[in-house]
Amino acid sequence: MEHLTFFGKIVPERALLDITAPTTISYEDAYTGKTDVSLHIYVNQIVIDFKFSNKDFKLIDVKNTAERICRIVSDFSGYLYGIGYGVEIASAINHNTGEVRVFGIQLDVTHDSTEVRATRFNELLRATALSPFVAPALSDLTAAIRVPEDTGVYCYRAFETILHDFDQCKPEGTGVLEHMGVALNLGSAQRLKKFLGRHAGDRRHGKPVEISWAARKAVMKRAWLLMDRYLEYLIRNREHLPEIEFPIPTFDD
């Protein structure tokens, strides 16, 4: 049996949450196989223990499952008490190998380095004042980071939000998807919409879903590229982006 323990906290910490008796769950899924889980929350501190049969597991997928289970409990508690709790899983220990892992807070969803992106902070921030659609799209992308199982929904909604902007200014006789695809050099905006929609559809219609890290990453890389180009488009006075600087993207997934 594989044996992992994850550690984290419920936020905000000033909203005390104690669950003195452990919450235990047994289930079977594609990521961990037959699994037994024990969750403790004491003074907002999370200890969640996994014992499972699948030896070919990916740590990030188990971590996302741990976060989802904790969020179910915190959402139920928030519903009872009227408090908007959040969940943060910070570290894990593999009891079989002794390996300890501290999770970073940044996801690999863009090709650019953070240093390069940081140098353009003030330049790109101007875009938030150039369109009312920027703020809600950014909010959705942030939510896609925070809530793994809803990544597809939030990225798709960011796409739809940006699409509304292009709908307002498309040339007569041109479809909105065609206009956005040409202006941002996306190739086929219809293909992008279809890809994002495939990972959003069930959850958008209320069905619970599971999504692997590989699938999340594929969705988020496309959504981040879309936002990157949209911001460039805005600060360049809505001129079509030059293909030499912004070639049609290709993805290996």
Side-chain angles (χ1 to χ4, degrees):
M1 290 288 286
E2 302 300 313
H3 186 188
L4 301 177
T5 302
F6 294 85
F7 305 91
K9 63 183 177 180
I10 301 291
V11 294
E13 292 187 87
R14 65 184 181 277
L16 184 65
L17 182 61
D18 270 328
I19 300 178
T20 54
T23 299
T24 58
I25 304 168
S26 295
Y27 65 90
E28 184 171 358
D29 69 11
Y31 302 128
T32 53
K34 293 183 179 180
T35 307
D36 294 317
V37 179
S38 178
L39 168 63
H40 303 255
I41 300 175
Y42 181 68
V43 196
N44 289 55
Q45 304 307 301
I46 295 168
V47 180
I48 181 167
D49 197 66
F50 281 75
K51 293 180 180 178
F52 54 90
S53 60
N54 184 10
K55 296 183 179 300
D56 297 321
F57 70 93
K58 289 182 172 59
L59 181 61
I60 188 65
D61 289 329
V62 188
K63 182 254 191 185
N64 287 342
T65 300
E67 191 172 308
R68 177 170 56 85
I69 292 171
C70 293
R71 190 176 296 110
I72 291 170
V73 174
S74 68
D75 285 348
F76 180 69
S77 301
Y79 155 74
L80 289 178
Y81 309 138
I83 297 173
Y85 290 115
V87 173
E88 179 183 343
I89 299 296
S91 60
I93 183 170
N94 185 326
H95 295 278
N96 291 15
T97 65
E99 179 185 3
V100 175
R101 173 78 175 273
V102 176
F103 299 106
I105 57 175
Q106 183 179 6
L107 299 183
D108 176 23
V109 294
T110 175
H111 295 293
D112 298 330
S113 71
T114 53
E115 290 80 6
V116 170
R117 296 173 77 82
T119 62
R120 305 198 62 206
F121 181 89
N122 290 328
E123 181 185 11
L124 292 174
L125 185 63
R126 292 193 300 110
T128 61
L130 299 177
S131 168
F133 297 98
V134 173
L138 289 173
S139 177
D140 280 333
L141 294 184
T142 301
I145 295 173
R146 290 198 307 262
V147 188
E149 60 269 28
D150 286 344
T151 294
V153 173
Y154 286 121
C155 286
Y156 188 83
R157 195 166 72 174
F159 172 92
E160 288 186 312
T161 299
I162 294 169
L163 191 65
H164 277 301
D165 193 346
F166 285 91
D167 191 37
Q168 293 188 340
C169 61
K170 69 180 186 295
E172 186 175 351
T174 302
V176 60
L177 286 169
E178 178 187 356
H179 175 44
M180 184 170 78
V182 170
L184 303 184
N185 289 326
L186 297 174
S188 170
Q190 178 64 49
R191 186 166 61 244
L192 175 60
K193 178 182 180 181
K194 184 177 180 180
F195 184 92
L196 297 177
R198 188 163 70 243
H199 290 279
D202 282 348
R203 189 70 191 100
R204 288 178 74 207
H205 297 294
K207 295 181 181 179
V209 300
E210 293 182 356
I211 183 169
S212 68
W213 165 238
R216 284 189 73 206
K217 187 175 180 179
V219 169
M220 295 171 82
K221 280 199 169 187
R222 288 163 171 79
W224 256 252
L225 181 136
L226 172 63
M227 177 56 88
D228 285 349
R229 295 196 174 187
Y230 177 49
L231 297 179
E232 289 284 354
Y233 171 79
L234 292 175
I235 67 173
R236 296 183 186 215
N237 298 314
R238 296 180 180 269
E239 296 289 338
H240 289 192
L241 299 181
E243 189 170 351
I244 192 168
E245 290 183 66
F246 303 92
I248 293 174
T250 57
F251 297 96
D252 56 4
D253 44 42

